[in-house]
Amino acid sequence: MKIVVTNAGYTLEERPVQCVAAEEARGPVAKITAETDQEILGFGAALTDSACIMLNRLSPEDREQVMHKVYSPQEGNFSVTRLCVGSSDYAEVPYHFAPVAEDMKMEHFDASHDDQDIIPVVQAALKENPDLYLFSSPWSPPGWMKSSKAMQGGWMLDKYIDAYALYYLKFLQYYLKNGIRIRAITPQNESETDQSSRMPACLWHPESEM
């Protein structure tokens, strides 16, 4: 048995691991017991814009094989997947679903960006595992709702919170219309950093989150 340390797909280090009785161990020890501390919902990954684009560049046969290997309960059994509400740092370009500024009633809401790559891949994952637990997180509200007026950096402006709630609701409804039920949400990914304005991100003041 060995531990493999990787970064960005590159192997940095391999260390052998020996299983011995606790009283014989020397150095750092990982102890395995029968005690239960907490339940784990499951394991998985995010289906980002870039991940779905890459999957859709595969041939249909190869893509089906990958999805089966990853999501089938008889194979990789990924049971939890996060979806992005708009673009994350793993997207071809920054995007959101409210293209018209000051559209407080979301009359121009448009999530069709996700139709080409993201929604078909999520549907394929659900086909392999119908019990897949989906939750969603935004990396940034639409830029016009923020101090920066851009997806990158800045903070959420309180006057747009009601519009943002409606924006999020319409996102959930759009996915449900496509047969995708999102079971849980978070209002923001990493709410205490603007990532130095280098990627979609948003600061939220604690009072705004109450």
Side-chain angles (χ1 to χ4, degrees):
M1 183 185 299
K2 63 182 178 181
I3 294 177
V4 180
V5 182
T6 66
N7 182 31
Y10 295 95
T11 299
L12 301 180
E13 185 179 358
E14 293 187 10
R15 299 180 185 177
V17 176
Q18 292 182 322
C19 295
V20 299
E23 59 272 13
E24 299 175 10
R26 296 179 180 178
V29 175
K31 186 178 181 181
I32 300 174
T33 73
E35 297 177 7
T36 300
D37 292 322
Q38 68 183 60
E39 293 185 4
I40 296 174
L41 179 63
F43 295 91
L47 282 175
T48 63
D49 182 55
S50 60
C52 294
I53 289 171
M54 295 304 294
L55 284 166
N56 279 330
R57 287 181 179 176
L58 298 173
S59 69
E61 295 78 15
D62 288 343
R63 182 170 59 252
E64 183 176 350
Q65 184 177 11
V66 169
M67 299 303 289
H68 180 72
K69 289 289 186 181
V70 171
Y71 285 100
S72 170
Q74 287 72 47
E75 296 287 346
N77 194 25
F78 271 27
S79 54
V80 179
T81 288
R82 179 160 67 157
L83 304 178
C84 305
V85 185
S87 64
S88 69
D89 48 330
Y90 286 95
E92 278 195 315
V93 295
Y95 66 91
H96 58 78
F97 307 132
V100 177
E102 306 301 320
D103 181 13
M104 307 300 280
K105 295 184 179 180
M106 291 296 121
E107 294 176 344
H108 302 280
F109 179 89
D110 181 8
S112 60
H113 168 278
D114 291 4
D115 290 348
Q116 180 173 342
D117 293 303
I118 299 174
I119 285 176
V121 170
V122 178
Q123 291 170 334
L126 286 168
K127 182 178 178 181
E128 292 292 341
N129 185 354
D131 294 325
L132 182 64
Y133 190 98
L134 298 172
F135 73 101
S136 58
S137 298
W139 267 242
S140 172
W144 56 266
M145 297 183 182
K146 302 163 59 185
S147 63
S148 64
K149 300 304 177 185
M151 295 288 285
Q152 298 87 347
W155 61 86
M156 182 68 185
L157 299 175
D158 287 351
K159 67 178 181 178
Y160 294 117
I161 287 179
D162 287 347
Y164 186 49
L166 182 57
Y167 171 87
Y168 211 142
L169 175 62
K170 285 188 171 288
F171 168 80
L172 298 172
Q173 291 172 335
Y174 191 86
Y175 268 66
L176 189 60
K177 184 180 70 174
N178 284 279
I180 299 169
R181 176 176 170 245
I182 297 173
R183 303 193 196 186
I185 65 174
T186 72
Q188 173 64 43
N189 175 68
E190 298 178 355
S191 60
E192 296 182 348
T193 178
D194 68 354
Q195 301 292 353
S196 301
S197 299
R198 293 177 298 177
M199 55 178 265
C202 183
L203 287 164
W204 281 73
H205 192 280
E207 291 183 2
S208 299
E209 296 181 292
M210 294 178 62

